Each structure stands twice: as C-alpha cells, then as structure tokens.
Amino acid sequence: AATAGQAALANAETMGAHGYASTAHCILGVIALRRGDIAAATYHVASRSAPGPHFADTYARAETAMTQAQVGEGRDGPTAAIGRIRQICADLPAHRGLLLGDPTTATWLIRTALAAGDNELAAIAARTAEALASDNPGFAPITAAVAHNMGLVGQDPAHLAEAAAQHHDPWAKASAAEDLGVLHARQGDRDRAVRHLEEALGGYQLTGATADMARIRRRLRKLGVRRRHRTQSADRPVSGWHSLTDAERAASELVAQGLSNRQAANRMYISSHTVAFYMRQAFRKLNISSRVELTRIVMQQSQQPATVNPMQGIAPQPPSPATRPRPH
C-alpha cells in the first residue's frame, strides 16, 4: 500500500492532479498512523492540495476530513478530535458513501465518539452504517462493519465475535478481535480476553501495524502476559543505525522529534524506564553521547531513499511535534 501510495502521489503531482494527490496523501497518512509515525501522518494531512472544482477534488475533501480526524485523534486523543468528528457526522446521513471506502471507518467513528463520551454521535454513525448495509445487502464488508458497530454500541460480545469472523480485511479482523478482547477483560473473563488480544496481535503483525501491536502488548501486560517486541534477524550489525532493533529505532525517532522519554513511552505504550534503556543501547551502538547527535543521525537517515519493509514506517517526513498516543 505504501509503495502504491507513493507512486500515485508522484504521478498525481507530476500531472497536477491535486485531488488524487490529496487522496494519496490520505492513504500514506493512515499507513503512517497505523505504523505509529505520527510525525509522518501529520505531514501527509498537512500536505494536501487546495481543493478545486473537479470530481476528484470534491471526493478528496471528505477523504481528507476523515484522515485529519483520525490523525488528530491519534495525536491528541478522542476528546480533542471530537469537534472535527461532529462536523463529519453532521453530513454523514446525506453522504453515506464515505463509509464504504474503508470497512472500519464507521467503527472508528463510533469507538472515538464513545471514548469522548458522545453516545448520540456514536448512534448516528451506527444508524448510518445500518442504513447503508440495508441498501447494499450483498456488500460483505459493510455487513461485517455493522456487526462490529453493534458490538461496540451495545457492548455485545456476540456481535463482536461475528464481526471478527466476517471481516475479510486482516486489519479490520484484528480490530474486531481487539475490541472483543477488551470487552471480555472489562467483564472479568481474563482467559477469553487474552485469547482474542493475542489473535489481534497476530493480525496487526501480519499487516505491519506496529502502533496497534504496541497497544496490544500493553493490554496483555495489564493481564499479566508479556510478549516481546519483534526484533530483526540475527545477522544485524553490532554498531551503526542498522544495528538498532525496531524498538530502539522507534524510540530514537521519537526522541529526535523532541519528545521526552515519558512522551516517547506513552507513544510506544511502554514505561519511561524502558525508553531510557533503549536510548542507552542506541547511544552505545551509534557511539554518541547526546540527543543532538542522535537527532542529526535520524535526520540523515530520513534523507535516505525509501525502503519498503512491512514492519517499518514510510520514509520519514519532516517531523511535527506530538505528545499523546492514540487511545483505542
């Protein structure tokens, strides 16, 4: 998806097709968000072109508004993003097609609205998705999404289990499994909670959603289960940038953006002590002694040609400060 999005962006910019360029930025922004790269996600939504009169530009406005809301919620939390979400939902019944592009859009709107305490807004999104499913009975993704929505709104494990079974999209399936695990944990059923959270962890790993994987590990730790971060192969060099593990590299990139250890820990869903350990390891492997030197190295790496690795982020973009993780 990242490769296709970058190619589409390059072609659209060459042709001056601003609407398609904005849509490509939205795709890349969502990918960056799922990989935990808030700076790159913020960069992409800030890089959208000014809307024009063409169809693609009109379509891109809704896509951009939704992506802005998702990135804003990932950066600042659901309460900070609820204003933009209300604007989106105000026209949602009249523009139901916005929910068709991604089977998790309605579910995300509902989950975020509930987290911000706006039950009525969640109900609007749920009713709109139900009407859409009623008008399109053969469209399996929206049918699965409706089951997911009903499970969230009604706190119903049966509907969430149905959604986890029906979703064909692997990320959507993992999301439903996570919501089901969270619900079982809230109801005190630890064994089922762990089983579904581990299912979600596997699904997120399959798609390279490192931010979601980190969130699942935190949930499992709270249930007394520890899952180690995925590391690179055993032939990794002993020094230099490529000697860093995935976790050490992620922590280094966050710290290079100006985040404190605690802020980086919140983003990675780990403790500040663990971030401090990653920093000590990174400093040793890079043979440096200051964060200024670390920032220089990270900036140098961001200027290298992009590589496609399902467990790594898109080529880093100009950083944008961020301080809060995405609640789920």
Side-chain angles (χ1 to χ4, degrees):
T3 302
Q6 291 284 12
L9 178 60
N11 290 337
E13 289 181 338
T14 298
M15 298 172 63
H18 303 303
Y20 293 113
S22 293
T23 301
H25 274 299
C26 289
I27 293 168
L28 293 171
V30 171
I31 293 171
L33 184 65
R34 292 184 181 177
R35 288 172 167 170
D37 192 345
I38 298 292
T42 302
Y43 167 79
H44 281 297
V45 297
S47 299
R48 67 195 187 281
S49 304
H54 304 294
F55 170 78
D57 299 311
T58 302
Y59 174 76
R61 294 174 197 171
E63 288 278 297
T64 300
M66 184 64 70
T67 305
Q68 283 179 316
Q70 290 178 318
V71 173
E73 189 259 348
R75 184 180 59 240
D76 303 317
T79 302
I82 198 65
R84 186 177 295 278
I85 293 173
R86 289 193 181 105
Q87 292 176 350
I88 294 171
C89 289
D91 297 327
L92 193 58
H95 299 89
R96 295 179 296 177
L98 182 61
L99 302 181
L100 285 175
D102 183 339
T104 64
T105 296
T107 307
W108 176 81
L109 288 170
I110 291 167
R111 186 188 298 111
T112 307
L114 291 174
D118 196 329
N119 295 345
E120 178 56 31
L121 196 61
I124 291 173
R127 288 196 298 268
T128 303
E130 282 190 76
L132 194 63
S134 178
D135 291 343
N136 300 273
F139 191 53
I142 196 66
T143 301
V146 167
H148 200 161
N149 300 342
M150 293 174 66
L152 283 175
V153 173
Q155 294 293 282
D156 183 353
H159 277 117
L160 291 176
E162 179 183 348
Q166 289 185 351
H167 274 307
H168 294 294
D169 179 86
W171 191 92
K173 182 181 290 289
S175 180
E178 179 180 5
D179 286 329
L180 181 55
V182 169
L183 180 57
H184 280 309
R186 189 176 297 132
Q187 295 175 342
D189 191 336
R190 179 186 177 279
D191 291 343
R192 288 187 178 180
V194 169
R195 184 171 74 250
H196 291 298
L197 289 175
E198 289 186 331
E199 177 185 341
L201 181 62
Y204 288 142
Q205 185 169 0
L206 178 66
T207 63
T210 50
D212 301 304
M213 291 166 61
R215 186 177 60 252
I216 293 293
R217 290 191 187 97
R218 183 191 63 172
R219 295 194 190 282
L220 287 169
R221 284 197 300 271
K222 288 183 177 180
L223 294 171
V225 179
R226 301 192 70 83
R227 290 288 180 270
R228 294 181 61 83
H229 288 265
R230 179 183 182 274
T231 59
Q232 297 173 344
S233 61
D235 60 354
R236 184 173 56 240
V238 297
S239 64
W241 179 255
H242 295 291
S243 71
L244 272 58
T245 65
D246 290 345
E248 290 163 358
R249 192 174 301 179
S252 297
E253 290 172 347
L254 291 172
V255 168
Q257 294 176 29
L259 274 65
S260 66
N261 282 4
R262 182 174 295 278
Q263 290 170 331
N266 288 340
R267 185 70 54 76
M268 296 177 70
Y269 301 99
I270 56 179
S271 72
S272 58
H273 296 294
T274 302
V275 171
F277 171 76
Y278 290 155
M279 288 296 94
R280 289 194 298 272
Q281 293 292 92
F283 278 33
R284 177 181 61 79
K285 294 177 180 179
L286 298 173
N287 193 27
I288 59 176
S289 58
S290 73
R291 296 193 175 207
V292 173
E293 294 174 285
L294 177 66
T295 300
R296 175 181 56 79
I297 292 173
V298 171
M299 291 181 65
Q300 288 174 345
Q301 292 300 317
S302 72
Q303 296 167 4
Q304 299 299 316
T307 58
V308 180
N309 180 337
M311 297 307 294
Q312 297 289 338
I314 305 168
Q317 304 290 348
S320 174
T323 59
R324 293 185 58 184
R326 173 187 182 271
H328 189 74

